[in-house]
Amino acid sequence: MESTKRVRYSNMVHPQKVLRWAGIYGIGLGFLVASGVFTHKFGGEFFQNIEETGPLGIIWRNWHSVGCYCVGFMSYIASTWDHKKHKTQINDILRVNTFVFGTWSLMNLHLMLYKQEHVKKLLWLHVVSCGVAGFVSFSAIDSTEEEEN
């Protein structure tokens, strides 16, 4: 069917490319956070004494990985939609991404500025990456007259 036809990356418009990369980044974050189930090597690059977080840290890790996967898969799947037919839905997902990535950036910034004893300097990478993902998602929102009507 024409409405379910997938869009090739080379034919994507800017919002679809942003969603594709936000999806890849979100899924990657999900893997990074969830890797703590098997090893503290990756998460330990960002947080001090991650193996000592106890049961609450494990619960937080599991919830956070689900959130990362949700944003990632939602964005990646939306990047395959026809932009002309689903502009409102794509814009809504870009708004959600703006909020989520922006919030993650601010939360990580708070840790870097006020909780330095708990984090390592490599977490600045996520402060910047999440901030950029939020800003680019916001800039990709297509607010033309068609959507406003």
Side-chain angles (χ1 to χ4, degrees):
M1 299 179 99
E2 185 64 33
S3 64
T4 60
K5 185 178 177 184
R6 299 293 183 215
V7 180
R8 281 192 184 149
Y9 185 78
S10 60
N11 296 334
M12 291 180 170
V13 294
H14 179 65
Q16 291 170 305
K17 290 179 182 180
V18 169
L19 286 169
R20 175 69 49 96
W21 285 107
I24 291 168
Y25 181 54
I27 293 167
L29 286 176
F31 279 119
L32 179 71
V33 174
S35 71
V37 171
F38 307 105
T39 179
H40 296 297
K41 179 177 173 36
F42 302 112
E45 298 297 323
F46 301 99
F47 296 98
Q48 304 283 356
N49 304 320
I50 195 166
E51 64 279 347
E52 297 175 11
T53 57
L56 189 56
I58 293 169
I59 292 168
W60 170 85
R61 180 199 63 224
N62 293 340
W63 279 100
H64 186 51
S65 65
V66 169
C68 293
Y69 284 132
C70 180
V71 169
F73 284 117
M74 174 186 64
S75 298
Y76 193 87
I77 290 167
S79 75
T80 66
W81 298 345
D82 184 327
H83 182 256
K84 291 178 182 174
K85 292 181 181 178
H86 302 286
K87 186 189 311 186
T88 302
Q89 295 85 351
I90 287 173
N91 281 343
D92 288 345
I93 292 173
L94 287 167
R95 288 181 184 101
V96 168
N97 285 357
T98 299
F99 173 77
V100 171
F101 286 121
T103 301
W104 285 344
S105 179
L106 292 174
M107 290 170 65
N108 289 334
L109 178 63
H110 173 77
L111 289 172
M112 292 304 297
L113 296 177
Y114 301 108
K115 305 290 183 182
Q116 294 174 0
E117 68 276 9
H118 298 294
V119 295
K120 294 182 180 177
K121 294 200 182 299
L122 192 57
L123 191 62
W124 279 112
L125 177 67
H126 286 294
V127 171
V128 173
S129 299
C130 288
V132 168
F135 176 77
V136 172
S137 293
F138 179 76
S139 70
I141 296 170
D142 184 5
S143 58
T144 58
E145 292 181 22
E146 292 177 23
E147 184 190 14
E148 295 171 1
N149 290 332

